[in-house]
């Protein structure tokens, strides 16, 4: 069963972006994915700190989901727009 994070402080900026985005969390994420709207995983990373960057410059313009998996088994999704 997937548990979703509610009211979690997650900052993703700049959004919209033309290249890199920065993600700032209150706690460490164990895994981060960039997911296309069809559900396909386009990039994956295991962040080493609660403040990290993702490079979207190689992706076409459009809307993507950032999926964050936390150590306690909860997950969060945020929308990001690539120009």
């Amino acid at each position: 069963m997937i548990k979703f994070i509610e009211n979690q402080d997650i900052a993703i900026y700049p959004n919209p972006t033309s290249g890199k985005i920065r993600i700032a969390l209150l706690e460490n994420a164990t895994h981060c994915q960039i997911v296309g709207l069809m559900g396909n995983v386009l990039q994956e990373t295991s962040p080493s700190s609660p403040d990290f960057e993702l490079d979207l410059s190689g992706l076409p313009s459009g809307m993507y989901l950032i999926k964050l998996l936390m150590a306690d088994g909860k997950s969060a999704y945020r929308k990001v727009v690539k120009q």
Side-chain angles (χ1 to χ4, degrees):
M1 178 178 185
I2 297 175
K3 298 176 185 175
F4 292 97
I5 298 172
E6 293 182 28
N7 300 321
Q8 177 70 24
D9 287 326
I10 300 172
I12 299 178
Y13 55 93
N15 189 9
T17 185
S18 59
K20 293 183 180 181
I21 58 169
R22 178 161 294 282
I23 299 176
L25 308 167
L26 287 180
E27 62 182 84
N28 247 1
T30 58
H31 200 75
C32 176
Q33 296 177 329
I34 299 173
V35 182
L37 293 181
M38 299 299 290
N40 49 329
V41 177
L42 304 170
Q43 288 182 19
E44 296 185 75
T45 188
S46 296
S48 58
S49 73
D51 186 12
F52 60 99
E53 278 188 352
L54 293 175
D55 188 0
L56 305 181
S57 61
L59 298 174
S61 297
M63 189 180 326
Y64 298 93
L65 295 175
I66 305 296
K67 179 181 179 181
L68 300 160
L69 302 173
M70 304 303 185
D72 60 4
K74 293 182 179 179
S75 60
Y77 292 84
R78 295 295 185 267
K79 178 179 64 171
V80 66
V81 176
K82 165 72 171 39
Q83 295 178 326

